[in-house]
Amino acid sequence: MKKLITILMALFIFSMSAGATIVDDMKSEVDEYNANSDAIPSSLKDMLGNERIHVIIDMNNGSALNLTVVTVDGKIVEFAEMEESEEFEPTLVVSTDEGTARSIMDSASPAQVFLDAYDRGDIEITSPSFTKKVSLTVGKFVLKVSQWLGFY
């Protein structure tokens, strides 16, 4: 019985640290992202430039990681793990899985990996606002045309 409790505790701690690790990894990327925000494609910056974003990452262990991200002029000004009781009114909701999030962070060209994942449907961007939904639809079309013309 003691071994079972020890194993369960180890699994619990491991599952918590997996989420903490990806959050820590993402936090370390925020400064680098902000320093290179001028290299972000303008169509993507227009879509995500001034937003309150709820990011949902389906973790490999079956849990969901909820993050809050606030952007101003394409730069991330706030980034945190969402508290359970926190009220956050997002303008966008971005959903993906841990593998996609890690592939973006580990890439030498994260903007391209993001665009490819978005194009494949591995990243879903939605909004509670009707006008924002229209803007997202137009933005996705612009991204498709830009990729087709070889801009990205």
Side-chain angles (χ1 to χ4, degrees), residues 93-112:
V93 177
V94 178
S95 302
T96 192
D97 59 42
E98 182 177 358
T100 302
R102 289 198 181 279
S103 68
I104 292 167
M105 288 189 305
D106 295 341
S107 172
S109 56
Q112 186 61 52

Side-chain angles (χ1 to χ4, degrees), residues 126-151:
T126 59
S127 175
S129 160
F130 175 75
T131 55
K132 185 61 80 173
K133 286 178 187 176
V134 171
S135 172
L136 288 171
T137 301
V138 170
K140 190 167 187 173
F141 175 75
V142 169
L143 284 172
K144 284 283 220 191
V145 170
S146 297
Q147 286 177 316
W148 183 67
L149 293 173
F151 294 126

Side-chain angles (χ1 to χ4, degrees), residues 19-72:
T21 300
I22 194 168
V23 172
D24 292 341
D25 292 346
M26 289 176 157
K27 283 181 180 178
S28 70
E29 297 288 327
V30 168
D31 289 336
E32 185 174 342
Y33 165 86
N34 283 337
N36 295 302
S37 64
D38 293 339
I40 296 170
S42 61
S43 53
L44 188 57
K45 194 181 279 192
D46 289 344
M47 279 177 35
L48 304 174
N50 294 295
E51 304 293 344
R52 294 176 49 80
I53 307 167
H54 176 189
V55 178
I56 304 166
I57 301 174
D58 293 326
M59 301 298 289
N60 293 339
N61 66 8
S63 68
L65 177 63
N66 291 279
L67 304 167
T68 58
V69 180
V70 177
T71 62
V72 175

